[in-house]
Amino acid sequence: RPRPRRASAWPRAEAERISPTVMYKRAKFCPECGKRVQAGEVEEMRSACEKMWRKYMRLSDLQCPLFRHCNVKTLAGHDQVPELWQSMPRTKGRS
């Protein structure tokens, strides 16, 4: 008779959530705001681009041209930890 599987004895620590931070995948230029970014550059999303932040938070359908060219981090941790970075979500418009 197989033994029932028990939950882990060690409690799992919940990762602390932070405001979204973006890291650009490659050097790009935004024709709408005139911003030029370099690959690997890290910024807080809200201060980097208001349009990008509003699209990420699903408050607006307007999309920044740099939206698909960056990764986002929402959990606390070092910037060098690749598991913390995720691709931007592919969200469809509301129209």
Side-chain angles (χ1 to χ4, degrees):
R1 179 173 170 202
R3 294 176 70 182
R5 184 172 270 193
R6 291 186 354 193
S8 174
W10 299 98
R12 215 180 263 186
E14 290 294 321
E16 180 184 345
R17 300 199 58 76
I18 59 170
S19 62
T21 305
V22 293
M23 177 171 49
Y24 299 100
K25 296 177 188 178
R26 58 184 69 98
K28 283 288 187 182
F29 174 75
C30 178
E32 292 185 21
C33 67
K35 184 174 188 165
R36 190 173 302 276
V37 297
Q38 298 299 317
E41 187 177 332
V42 177
E43 296 182 275
E44 185 180 345
M45 186 186 296
R46 192 164 191 170
S47 63
C49 181
E50 185 71 24
K51 195 183 278 189
M52 184 187 305
W53 182 82
R54 293 181 63 78
K55 174 74 174 182
Y56 182 77
M57 294 296 177
R58 297 180 183 180
L59 300 173
S60 172
D61 277 345
L62 299 176
Q63 182 169 319
C64 172
L66 300 175
F67 188 81
R68 297 187 65 205
H69 301 287
C70 57
N71 291 326
V72 63
K73 179 177 83 163
T74 57
L75 300 174
H78 292 288
D79 290 344
Q80 291 78 20
V81 180
E83 292 81 23
L84 296 177
W85 295 97
Q86 301 170 348
S87 295
M88 283 292 217
R90 303 291 186 239
T91 55
K92 296 225 178 207
R94 291 183 270 178
S95 55

